[in-house]
Structures are given as C-alpha cells and as structure tokens.
Amino acid sequence: MAPRPDGVSLQRWLYDELRAAILSGRLPPGARLPSTRDLAARFELSRGTVLGAFAQLDAEGYLAGAVGRGSFVAAELPDRRIDRGDRGEPTSIKKRDGRSSVRESKSKNKSKDDDSGAQRPAVVLSNRGRLLARSAFQLSGRSIPARAFRASQPDLDAFPFELWARIAAKRARRTRRDLLGDGEAQGYRPLREAIAGYVGMSRGIACSADHVVMLGSVQQAIDLAARLLLDPGDAAWIEDPGYVGARFVLEAAGARVIGVPVDPGGLDVEWARRHAPDARLAFVTAGRQAPLGPPLALERRLSLLEWAHERGAVIIEDDYDSEYRFAGNPLAALKSLDDDGHVIYCGTFSKLLFPALRTAYAIVPDRLVEPFVAALSLTARHVPLDQQSVLHEFIADGHFGRHIRRMRVLYGERAEALTAHVTRHLAGLLEVPPIIAGLDAPAFLPRGTDDNEVVRRAALEGIETRALSRYAVDRPAPAGLVLGFASVGVDDIASGVIALARALS
Amino acid sequence: MAPRPDGVSLQRWLYDELRAAILSGRLPPGARLPSTRDLAARFELSRGTVLGAFAQLDAEGYLAGAVGRGSFVAAELPDRRIDRGDRGEPTSIKKRDGRSSVRESKSKNKSKDDDSGAQRPAVVLSNRGRLLARSAFQLSGRSIPARAFRASQPDLDAFPFELWARIAAKRARRTRRDLLGDGEAQGYRPLREAIAGYVGMSRGIACSADHVVMLGSVQQAIDLAARLLLDPGDAAWIEDPGYVGARFVLEAAGARVIGVPVDPGGLDVEWARRHAPDARLAFVTAGRQAPLGPPLALERRLSLLEWAHERGAVIIEDDYDSEYRFAGNPLAALKSLDDDGHVIYCGTFSKLLFPALRTAYAIVPDRLVEPFVAALSLTARHVPLDQQSVLHEFIADGHFGRHIRRMRVLYGERAEALTAHVTRHLAGLLEVPPIIAGLDAPAFLPRGTDDNEVVRRAALEGIETRALSRYAVDRPAPAGLVLGFASVGVDDIASGVIALARALS
C-alpha cells in the first residue's frame, strides 16, 4: 500500500487504498477482505478507523457481506475495469496535459462504431462548440495597471471605491432575509426602477422597471436574444468593421452573420436592406460605432426601425460607452424612437463603474420580456442579489450620476490630450478624427499599412493597442489602431504617443 | 405643445416637443424652425435653454442650417415616417400590453414577403427560442418565509449571515485595485483552489484549481456543456423521472433527450446502453437521484464511465445536495472514478449557503477546460469578483466546513421528524422511504393517485409541494410528492404533516 500523503486522514487513506485495490482488480469481485481487527493491527490503526473506511466502502457499493461473516468485494462489479492502472496514487493530482488537445473533428461520428478499445474516440467538440470556444477577447484577469492605450477600460483609480465599500459594508450589516433567498430572475426591482429612471433622463428611453432585465454582461444579452429570435442559419446584420465579441457570440448561436459596411453615417442601412433584407436581427452600436466612432445618422436610424417594423426583425442596440459624450449631452438612444417594440437596448455598468462588477442590463420590448426572462432563468438564473442591491443604493443616493459627470470631464481632458499629442508628434503617420465620445478613439494609419505589425512594434515600446483589422468581418477594415484614452492619465498619454511615434518611425 | 411633465427640465421638454413635431411630420423636412429668440419669448424660456435644445436636435441629425440663416428640419429624413402617431406624449410610459402575445409561429417565414404594411409580421420567437422560453421553475423572487414543504431550499434562518456580513464588510474596506478590473473568466484563483481542496476531501475528487470553473449556476454549466458537445439532434440521456431544469435546458440546446428509467439503483445504465448507445452526453444526479433519492449503484457508475470512455461521451454529474448525508460521510462522487476525463462535476453554493449568492462551479476534465472557459467568457464573461472573494474567505477561514457540519445535524433531525410524523399520521396514504441524504424526500402516493390534484388540495391547506409527475420525461412517474424538509423547523414539519393528512383524507 502507498504511504499516507500529508493532510489525509487515516480513515481516508485506508478507504482510498482499498478502493484502488478493488478497482484495479488486486482485490477481485467476491474476494474476502482482511478482518477489521487484522487490518487495524497491521497498520497500527484504531478499530474505529478501519470500521469507518469499511462503512464508507460498503455505502458506496464496493463491499458485500453478512454481519459476522466478514466483508467481501461486491460480486456485481463489471469484469472489464474502467480503471487503467493509474490509480496507484489516488490522491495525486494529475497535471493538465495539453489544454489545446481537444480534437476538432468535423466528422465526429467517424469512430463511433470502433468499439475494439484500441482506438477510443476522444471527447470532441460539436460543430457549434468550436465556434463557441473561440477565445478572442477572453478575460485573462490581468491586474497590471492600465497602460497607454488599453481599450474599453474605465479609470479604476478614479472610481470612488471607498464610498462603494461603505455602501457595501452598510448593506452587508443590514442583510435581510429577502436578500438571501432566490431573487427574481428579471432582477432586483428597486435597481430596475432606478435604471428605468436613468435611461429615461439620460437617453430619452420611455420605459418602466417592467422592461428592464438585469444581466451579467451585454454578451449574455446578445446570446439570449440570438437564441430566442434566430434559428441556425438565420441572417443577422452586424457592423463591418464591428465588435468581435458580438460577431463571435452570434456565430456561435448559429447566425449567418452579414457584415454591413460602415461609413461616416454609421451602419449603411440601405446597403443592408438591399443585400440582406430577410435578416431577423441587427446588432448596432448606434451611439458611437465601435470601433470607428460615428453615431448612426438619424435618417438611418429611422430606416433601420422601418426595416425592423416591416420585417418583424429585432435590433440590438449596444450602448456601452456613448454615455461619455464630451460636447453636449449624450445622444438620445435609437431605442428612444422605438415605438413598436423592435429594439433591445443594452447597457453595462462594467464600463461605467468597474469591470469586476459584471452587471449589465437590457431594456426589452413588451412582448419579449417574458421569453427573455424565462430564457435567462433557464440558462443562468440571475445576477447575484447582493451586488444588485449595492448598485441600487449607489444610484439612488446620487453617487452614480456624480461619478459619470466627473468621468465625463476627466475623460474629455484625456481625449483632448490625445488629440493634441497625436497632432504634434504623429502628423502624417496617424490620423485621429475629433473625439466626441467614448473610452477609445480610432486612429488611422496610411492606407496599406499592416496594422497588426504596428501593434507588435508598439508592444515592444510598451504600448497596448488593437489593430482595426481585427474588427473586420466580410471586407478589409481600414488600417489603423484603437487607442483607449480613458484609463490612462495625461502624462502617460503624452509619453505613450511619443513611444508610438518611435514604433511608427 | 404638450404641457411640461413634472421632473422634466425645460430644455428637455422643448427638445422632446420639437422632436415629436419633426417625427410626426408637423414640422416637415426642410421646414424652417422659429428663431431661438422667438421661441424663448413665446414659452418664457431663456435663450440658453432654447439653444441647448437646438444643439441636441442638431447633434442628433434632426436639424440642418447655416450659421445666421436659421435652423431647418433636415431634408434627408425618410418620407415614410416610422412614427405612428403615438408620440404625443413622448415621456409617457406605455403599459405592458399582454406579455404572452408573442406569436409562436411554426412557419415564421410566412409573412416575410408581405411588405404591403397592412399586415406587419410580429416579432416571433425562433423554434429553439420557444424551447428556451419555457418558464417552468422560473425564479419569482418570492421572499415569504419557507413553508412546509418547500423543496430544494436550505434554511436561511440558520445561515450565519452576520459572519458573512462581517467578512463582506471587511473585504469591502480592503477593496484592492486588482479586484476592480476584469477577473479571470475561469474564476478567482484563490476560490478555485479552496474548492479543489474541498471536493478532494469531501468527494474524493482529485483535481487542482486549474480544473475548477466558477459559474453563476448549474444551469449555466449544463447549457454550456450541451452547446459545446452536442449539435442539434444529438442524443443526451437524462434520468426519468428527472430534474426538469436539466431537461429543458438540454432541449433548448437542441438535444434529443432520452429519458432513461430510474430504479433503486439509480439511472438504468444498461437500458440506456441498449437503447441509445450513441448519445453524446448523460446528465445524472449520481449522489442522490433527483427526485427519487437512490444513489447510483457502483456497478452502474463503472458501466456509465465505461460507456463514456468507449464512445467519447461526456457525463454531467449534478451533485447539488448529496453533501447532506445523514449517516456516515457523503459518498465519493462519480467524478472520483473518472480517470480519463469524461465527467463534468457540478456543485452549487446556492443550495449549500443561500440562493441569492448564485455561485456554482464545475470540475471540468483537462481537455475541456479551455473550450469551457472560452465559451463562458464569450456568452457571459464571469461571476462577479467581489463575492467570489467573500466566498473564498468564508471557506478559507473554516466557516464553510462548520456551517455544512451544523446543517447536516439540523437537516438530519428534520428528516427524522418528517419520517416519524409521516409514519404516525399518514400510514397507508403516503410512503416516505428512509431519508439518507439531501434537502428533499420523495413521498409515494397509492398507485393511480393524481398527484397534481393532491398538490392542489395540499395548497388549500397551506402546504407547498411538487408532484412527482412533473418530473416525468418519456414515461409516467410514480404518483407522489417531493417534500422539502431542510428549510422548515420540526414544529412546522409536524403541523405540515397533519395538514397534509387533511388534504389526503
């Protein structure tokens, strides 16, 4: 028998060893086990310890035996062991052996009838599983401070986390029973009411708490909407270039994704209506097109809604960062023009407050609320109640509004700094159009530049950027970079631009 | 123009009214707007207020005009208005009009070519969307105290929430920057380490933090596994009777669900291997079959693993409540026998601690970790970091282990009380087999009883139960009830049994 590893109780060790002996066939079906007295004496164990291990083995079906006649290995155990000899150290932890070794077989049935055992079929992903498992934009949890020019990041240092902590602590001390039990799948009602009030004021969206659904992320909203509204093969419009996370989740849901060209008016709705009028869904960043920046022009908004209205299609409006508009008020949402329930509007607190919060929401048309909530409840249950209630207090006490206003000023200064430094140091090399809103800016390289190569060279200078070409769907994207400016101070922006100039020269 | 509603700023009111006039055609494309001076005078507004409203309309594309020549309604607005006249009160909140009115059209293309406008196609759910939107077991957030015999509920009054609150408050005060940013999609590593240690000790599962994936719910684990491993139409085994939530989420993912009979040895693996050997997935509650109770017999565990091994299939082991074993230790998990990576083991803290926590985990085989985490990141991102860290401290400080041990004693007493009272008051009417583990017990009615009718009659006596027939898949379930005993005190159990006797007499 193997020596007892540290931290394993005597009873557990004996149980593990006997179980391994049975499973490996060293103690075959029907074999008589040594008496508890003998075992106790041999391994210097108490009789109780041995009885405990026997009881556990008996409860789990390894043993059979009549009182007083000793214990036997159960006779019903299958002859062919599933064990393949590596049970010698039952408590050892096997190393991860090659995480990327899942075979991606397109003809996954090919070895199903091969039962000889010599060539066992590996666990293979399904066809859609391969789409689901693409890991672009996967969260790595890197905690290093933001560097110039990390994209899609709010400034964590500017977040009033002491205030947040005070509310969370107060909330924790007052935990009430009704915040321990199952929450409503749709979300904590007081929070939904606060959000309905906020989007009414800030975005012109007329809705009530009944239309708000709390979610873990905008990704989840897209995933649920796609599965609820599309059958595999149904077409969906997305902006080209556009948000890769949306494209991947739509494709994983079986959508036939149609990349629709983007120009200075945003998504070219007329192109889409001509080329793919039968789409069932459109994904659009109407407030600030990601990654190119323009808001969707008014006549296109109306045309998009008209198309959805004529076709019974649904529009997902992802409004993740147009909150931060540096001149005038945020634009009214596309959703504010949605009179007959074709727009699912999505917002997220992960970008407005801090990413670890993982709380987002959707404003869902009347007729889709019930299916949407049912699907959420079935596939995920709900967002943890605790933080919904902290977030509610943060909004209700006015801290949310204040934080947004402060950040609008701060990010505006950073956008100005970025524009000024790029103009000074990168004229002719990189063109940044006026920054009106958002956390990131597109920056265009001379036509024909390999922007992935620029990203690599910038990385050598300590600069984080993304290539615009990564956002391409059906056609090449303009050569360029996405520069995040919100999470880095003006000094870092200045030195970042100079580093970028080195990379580009 | 409409009067200004309470709480709406003057500028917002003017903006809303002018926008409504433009969208309704009262101010047609190309029309000249009154001068800002005139408007200010007419409505007794400051000039700045009017300029602000104009600027917003201009930014959103409603206006066109040259400096000094006045403002005009943009000429490019489409002729055909999407507005249908109900814009008169742009800030009013429309009532939810009939939540269940989504048309469930099986031939959803039927009106696609009907562009006349008279009969507009409604937004319809996809075929799979109709499966996804079934709302059995939907969370309603009811906060009333648990009554006899609410199922699948831990005792919230027994949860040490003051201790939890103290940890949460301490944690909130020490919020660190690295807990504000994006977390790792796989989950907070210290928590994953704690869980790996716990399942090693408590369930004999040899794994490391690398195999643990944090999730919002077991539902999410099933949904992700089904989509990763099954293509639509692939077969999956589930227990019959079995957990409805698992069946629905598998069906919504397109699985061809095969109900496999359950007998006192649990899932009849040989039946399944004879009748549907080509399934790609099996869902099993091996520790305590839900709802009937028996653990999966050892020889069946081995046979199930052998099948998965031969076929490259995957087994989902849902171990949501077998932690609470009232005689001896919890049984080793099926996963503890899984030598070559065919079992995804799922546990949830929602049942062990409190439901609002919404934190679950899966122990995933080596080769599936990366696809699983990528799919999680794509469709949901990750569980909020904050509560992962609170949960980690709760486990690391030993509170978790203590709570489980205390609850095992408490629930054991309640199980005994239930058995005793049923024996005394319901002999011949209701049979409760010995309760060995779990939060609920099955209770069998005389053959042929309509258990749904019994549930209705029990409800009139103030008793909450579920009919066993609700768990049926492909064949009738035995007539009976599911009685939750964990969340109700022994006095309520006593009076509950008497009330049940009234309902049955």
Side-chain angles (χ1 to χ4, degrees):
Chain A
M1 283 165 93
R4 179 164 64 99
D6 286 348
V8 170
S9 73
L10 290 165
Q11 178 177 320
R12 171 67 185 272
W13 167 76
L14 184 64
Y15 158 85
D16 281 340
E17 290 300 316
L18 290 171
R19 191 174 88 140
I22 294 168
L23 286 167
S24 69
R26 278 180 281 136
L27 281 172
R32 182 182 194 135
L33 266 67
S35 76
T36 54
R37 194 179 308 267
D38 283 355
L39 275 176
R42 194 184 329 161
F43 296 105
E44 295 179 12
L45 303 169
S46 80
R47 188 89 188 285
T49 300
V50 180
L51 282 169
F54 273 43
Q56 185 76 8
L57 289 166
D58 188 45
E60 296 183 359
Y62 292 90
L63 303 185
V67 179
R69 294 189 44 235
S71 295
F72 298 84
V73 176
E76 308 82 42
L77 297 186
D79 256 1
R80 217 167 4 147
R81 297 272 162 266
I82 59 121
D83 186 73
R84 270 156 307 288
D86 50 0
R87 285 247 127 223
E89 294 173 3
T91 55
S92 74
I93 290 165
K94 275 178 275 178
K95 272 193 65 178
R96 302 278 299 274
D97 61 335
R99 299 174 106 208
S100 54
S101 69
V102 173
R103 232 200 299 154
E104 294 193 350
S105 160
K106 277 175 212 278
S107 57
K108 67 191 174 66
N109 295 316
K110 67 170 182 268
S111 49
K112 265 188 185 167
D113 298 317
D114 173 17
D115 260 352
S116 69
Q119 273 292 70
R120 305 186 311 265
V123 173
V124 295
L125 298 187
S126 61
N127 290 312
R128 66 175 166 193
R130 285 182 291 121
L131 293 173
L132 205 54
R134 288 184 299 182
S135 53
F137 289 89
Q138 185 170 324
L139 300 179
S140 65
R142 58 185 168 186
S143 59
I144 49 169
R147 293 184 305 177
F149 293 97
R150 186 175 296 174
S152 308
Q153 282 281 325
D155 188 337
L156 300 185
D157 293 326
F159 182 74
F161 72 81
E162 285 177 14
L163 186 60
W164 179 270
R166 214 151 53 227
I167 294 173
K170 194 177 68 181
R171 155 76 185 75
R173 283 193 305 272
R174 288 194 314 214
T175 300
R176 285 163 306 170
R177 202 181 186 295
D178 61 351
L179 290 176
L180 289 177
D182 277 320
E184 232 185 310
Q186 187 165 354
Y188 183 53
R189 177 166 269 278
L191 176 58
R192 289 192 279 120
E193 282 165 1
I195 289 171
Y198 164 68
V199 297
M201 276 300 138
S202 152
R203 289 295 202 287
I205 299 173
C207 70
S208 79
D210 286 338
H211 302 96
V212 180
V213 180
M214 297 310 304
L215 298 159
S217 59
V218 174
Q219 292 298 112
Q220 192 173 39
I222 305 171
D223 186 39
L224 288 176
R227 295 164 75 188
L228 277 170
L229 298 164
L230 303 180
D231 277 310
D234 284 347
W237 298 349
I238 68 167
E239 297 152 328
D240 186 3
Y243 173 49
V244 186
R247 173 156 72 99
F248 278 15
V249 78
L250 286 170
E251 287 178 354
R256 185 162 48 85
V257 166
I258 312 281
V260 177
V262 170
D263 64 22
L267 181 92
D268 188 341
V269 177
E270 296 317 311
W271 185 97
R273 291 181 75 170
R274 271 199 312 278
H275 288 83
D278 62 334
R280 310 285 311 141
L281 191 85
F283 173 84
V284 62
T285 49
R288 196 189 80 81
Q289 200 275 327
L292 297 184
L296 187 62
L298 177 60
E299 69 272 18
R300 291 187 178 178
R301 291 177 183 233
L302 298 173
S303 176
L304 185 61
L305 290 166
E306 187 180 61
W307 162 78
H309 178 70
E310 281 174 13
R311 297 284 178 163
V314 168
I315 300 158
I316 300 178
E317 178 180 20
D318 182 0
D319 197 27
Y320 72 103
D321 76 350
S322 69
E323 185 60 55
Y324 292 118
R325 190 174 161 83
F326 309 123
N329 293 321
L331 302 185
L334 173 63
K335 175 74 180 166
S336 73
L337 298 168
D338 178 36
D339 292 317
D340 59 348
H342 290 274
V343 178
I344 296 173
Y345 172 94
C346 303
T348 174
F349 293 103
S350 300
K351 302 278 187 247
L352 293 179
L353 300 179
F354 56 93
L357 186 59
R358 282 291 145 227
T359 304
Y361 59 92
I363 316 285
V364 177
D366 273 345
R367 289 167 302 183
L368 290 177
V369 169
E370 191 164 279
F372 205 89
V373 172
L376 175 66
S377 183
L378 184 64
T379 61
R381 313 315 265 159
H382 64 71
V383 178
L385 258 185
D386 195 71
Q387 69 179 36
Q388 290 192 67
S389 104
V390 174
L391 180 55
H392 165 245
E393 286 199 35
F394 191 77
I395 297 176
D397 292 356
H399 306 304
F400 179 71
R402 264 192 296 281
H403 180 63
I404 296 294
R405 286 192 295 276
R406 276 183 53 226
M407 290 307 99
R408 202 175 283 152
V409 172
L410 188 69
Y411 298 168
E413 289 165 3
R414 291 171 180 181
E416 264 183 46
L418 178 63
T419 304
H421 290 293
V422 167
T423 306
R424 191 174 317 149
H425 298 287
L426 287 166
L429 295 171
L430 199 65
E431 188 213 332
V432 176
I435 305 172
I436 295 164
L439 304 169
D440 318 319
F444 297 97
L445 291 160
R447 187 190 286 255
T449 312
D450 175 354
D451 53 13
N452 283 302
E453 175 57 26
V454 171
V455 167
R456 277 188 293 273
R457 288 207 311 263
L460 295 177
E461 301 285 345
I463 296 299
E464 234 179 277
T465 61
R466 283 189 201 145
L468 279 182
S469 58
R470 285 190 65 189
Y471 296 79
V473 183
D474 290 337
R475 53 188 64 72
L481 307 172
V482 172
L483 302 180
F485 54 81
S487 63
V488 265
V490 289
D491 291 346
D492 289 337
I493 287 174
S495 55
V497 167
I498 289 167
L500 205 51
R502 278 198 301 274
L504 282 167
S505 64
Chain B
M1 284 166 91
R4 180 163 65 100
D6 287 347
V8 169
S9 73
L10 289 165
Q11 178 178 320
R12 172 67 184 272
W13 167 76
L14 184 62
Y15 159 86
D16 282 340
E17 289 301 317
L18 290 171
R19 192 174 88 139
I22 294 168
L23 286 167
S24 70
R26 279 181 279 134
L27 279 172
R32 182 181 193 134
L33 265 70
S35 76
T36 55
R37 194 180 307 265
D38 283 357
L39 275 176
R42 192 182 331 161
F43 296 106
E44 296 179 14
L45 302 169
S46 81
R47 186 90 188 283
T49 299
V50 181
L51 283 168
F54 272 44
Q56 185 76 6
L57 289 166
D58 188 45
E60 295 184 358
Y62 291 91
L63 303 185
V67 180
R69 295 188 45 230
S71 294
F72 299 84
V73 177
E76 307 81 45
L77 296 187
D79 256 2
R80 218 169 1 149
R81 298 270 162 266
I82 60 120
D83 185 73
R84 270 154 307 283
D86 50 359
R87 285 248 127 223
E89 295 173 2
T91 55
S92 74
I93 289 166
K94 276 178 275 181
K95 273 193 64 179
R96 303 276 299 272
D97 61 332
R99 298 176 109 209
S100 55
S101 69
V102 172
R103 232 200 299 157
E104 293 194 351
S105 159
K106 278 175 210 279
S107 57
K108 70 189 174 67
N109 294 314
K110 67 168 182 264
S111 50
K112 266 190 182 164
D113 298 318
D114 174 17
D115 261 352
S116 68
Q119 272 292 68
R120 302 187 314 265
V123 172
V124 295
L125 297 187
S126 61
N127 290 313
R128 66 173 167 194
R130 284 182 291 122
L131 294 172
L132 205 54
R134 289 183 298 184
S135 52
F137 288 89
Q138 186 170 321
L139 300 179
S140 65
R142 56 185 169 189
S143 60
I144 49 168
R147 294 184 304 180
F149 293 98
R150 185 174 300 173
S152 308
Q153 282 281 326
D155 188 336
L156 300 185
D157 293 327
F159 183 73
F161 72 82
E162 285 178 15
L163 187 60
W164 180 270
R166 214 151 53 225
I167 294 173
K170 194 176 68 180
R171 155 75 186 76
R173 282 193 304 273
R174 287 194 317 212
T175 300
R176 286 162 306 169
R177 201 182 187 295
D178 61 351
L179 290 176
L180 288 177
D182 278 320
E184 235 185 308
Q186 186 166 355
Y188 183 53
R189 177 165 269 276
L191 176 58
R192 289 191 279 120
E193 282 165 1
I195 289 170
Y198 164 68
V199 296
M201 276 301 138
S202 153
R203 288 297 201 287
I205 299 173
C207 70
S208 79
D210 287 337
H211 303 97
V212 180
V213 181
M214 298 308 304
L215 298 158
S217 59
V218 174
Q219 291 297 113
Q220 191 173 38
I222 305 170
D223 186 39
L224 287 177
R227 295 165 74 189
L228 277 170
L229 298 165
L230 303 180
D231 278 309
D234 283 348
W237 298 350
I238 68 169
E239 297 152 328
D240 186 3
Y243 172 50
V244 187
R247 173 157 72 97
F248 277 17
V249 77
L250 286 170
E251 287 178 353
R256 184 162 49 85
V257 165
I258 312 281
V260 178
V262 170
D263 65 21
L267 181 91
D268 188 341
V269 177
E270 296 317 310
W271 186 98
R273 291 181 76 169
R274 271 199 314 278
H275 288 83
D278 62 335
R280 310 284 312 141
L281 191 85
F283 174 86
V284 61
T285 49
R288 197 188 78 80
Q289 201 275 328
L292 298 184
L296 187 62
L298 178 60
E299 69 273 18
R300 291 187 177 178
R301 292 177 182 234
L302 297 172
S303 176
L304 185 60
L305 290 165
E306 187 181 61
W307 162 78
H309 178 70
E310 282 173 13
R311 296 285 176 162
V314 168
I315 300 157
I316 299 177
E317 177 179 21
D318 182 1
D319 196 28
Y320 72 103
D321 78 348
S322 70
E323 185 61 55
Y324 292 117
R325 189 173 161 84
F326 309 123
N329 294 320
L331 301 185
L334 173 62
K335 175 72 181 168
S336 74
L337 298 169
D338 177 36
D339 292 318
D340 58 348
H342 290 274
V343 178
I344 296 173
Y345 172 93
C346 302
T348 174
F349 294 101
S350 300
K351 302 281 186 243
L352 293 178
L353 300 178
F354 56 94
L357 187 59
R358 282 293 148 225
T359 304
Y361 59 93
I363 316 285
V364 178
D366 273 345
R367 289 166 303 183
L368 290 177
V369 170
E370 192 165 278
F372 204 89
V373 172
L376 175 66
S377 182
L378 184 64
T379 61
R381 313 314 268 160
H382 63 72
V383 178
L385 258 184
D386 196 71
Q387 71 180 35
Q388 290 193 68
S389 105
V390 175
L391 180 55
H392 164 245
E393 286 200 35
F394 190 77
I395 297 175
D397 292 356
H399 305 305
F400 178 72
R402 264 191 297 282
H403 180 63
I404 296 295
R405 287 192 294 276
R406 276 183 53 228
M407 291 308 99
R408 203 175 284 151
V409 173
L410 187 70
Y411 299 167
E413 289 165 5
R414 292 172 181 181
E416 265 183 45
L418 178 63
T419 304
H421 290 292
V422 166
T423 307
R424 190 174 319 147
H425 299 287
L426 287 165
L429 295 171
L430 199 65
E431 188 214 333
V432 176
I435 305 172
I436 296 164
L439 304 170
D440 317 320
F444 297 97
L445 292 160
R447 187 190 287 254
T449 313
D450 176 355
D451 53 13
N452 284 303
E453 176 57 25
V454 172
V455 168
R456 277 188 294 272
R457 289 208 310 266
L460 295 177
E461 300 285 347
I463 295 298
E464 234 178 278
T465 61
R466 284 190 200 144
L468 278 183
S469 57
R470 284 191 63 189
Y471 296 79
V473 183
D474 292 335
R475 50 188 65 73
L481 306 172
V482 172
L483 302 180
F485 54 81
S487 62
V488 266
V490 288
D491 291 346
D492 289 336
I493 288 175
S495 55
V497 167
I498 289 166
L500 206 51
R502 277 197 301 274
L504 280 169
S505 65

